[in-house]
Structure formats: structure tokens, C-alpha cells
Amino acid sequence: QVQLVESGGDLVQPGGSLRLSCAASGSDFRFYTMGWYRQAPGSQRELVAQITYSGRPNYADSAKGRCTISRDNAKNTVYLQMNSLKPEDTAVYYCNAKLAMNYWGKGTLVTVSS
């Protein structure tokens, strides 16, 4: 069983930056593929970025060049640094842990608006 708690969501102006954090419980964090997904109102949940247990990242096209996913296995935490934010980035951002099963956090709201 893995519990995930996201933080860092906020209201930010277009062009601004945010860093999201996801703290995971459990002792097997280092084996999990960790990911960030988002869901905007009226839209399906979509992948933003993933990072494998070995630290290899994978980004959605919308995130390439603007987002960086990283993990700190000593802290059981995964991060998502987002730069040059746009209004269309407004969504609830969810942390995901994947191994044999999928685990989800409750999400953190990112609002990009002037």
C-alpha cells in the first residue's frame, strides 16, 4: 500500500513557475515509476511526466521544455518543476505511483490566471 500526498499547487500568473511535490509512504518508493498527471474541468486525466525507478524521465509533448520531473529516493518524494506556465495548464495535478498496481494522490490545484 502506498499513500501519496501532493502539495505546491497555487494561483500563478501566466509565465510564472511552480514546483509540485509528492510525498510517498512506504519503503519501496525507489522501485516505483512515479508520474504526474493532470485533469482540467471537462477533460480526461492526462499524463504530464513520468520518471522510472532508474531516474529516466518521460514527458508529454505539452510539458517538454517547460517541465522537469525529478525524484529524491531518500525523501520518498517526487517533484514537478513547471516553468512558463500558461492558462491551459490550469488543472488538478495528481501524483501516481506505479509498480504492480497504480496508486493515486488526491491532487493539488494549479490555477494559471492573471
Side-chain angles (χ1 to χ4, degrees):
Q1 189 79 7
V2 176
Q3 292 185 329
L4 305 171
V5 179
E6 303 97 333
S7 61
D10 205 347
L11 170 63
V12 62
Q13 291 188 345
S17 297
L18 278 177
R19 188 175 83 152
L20 307 182
S21 299
C22 171
S25 65
S27 59
D28 294 331
F29 174 82
R30 64 191 184 277
F31 298 121
Y32 284 82
T33 290
M34 300 299 298
W36 286 97
Y37 290 71
R38 69 184 183 186
Q39 188 166 17
S43 298
Q44 291 188 332
R45 193 171 298 188
E46 62 179 7
L47 174 69
V48 178
Q50 272 186 333
I51 186 166
T52 66
Y53 73 96
S54 62
R56 180 171 57 86
N58 176 48
Y59 297 98
D61 287 344
S62 61
K64 288 178 181 177
R66 299 191 300 129
C67 297
T68 303
I69 189 170
S70 60
R71 66 190 297 159
D72 185 337
N73 290 339
K75 296 182 178 180
N76 278 19
T77 301
V78 62
Y79 304 98
L80 183 69
Q81 177 68 43
M82 302 188 293
N83 301 322
S84 302
L85 284 162
K86 307 173 184 178
E88 51 263 43
D89 294 318
T90 295
V92 178
Y93 284 69
Y94 295 92
C95 182
N96 171 264
K98 184 182 307 182
L99 193 57
M101 295 179 62
N102 261 315
Y103 299 93
W104 295 94
K106 294 183 178 181
T108 185
L109 177 63
V110 173
T111 303
V112 184
S113 175
S114 55

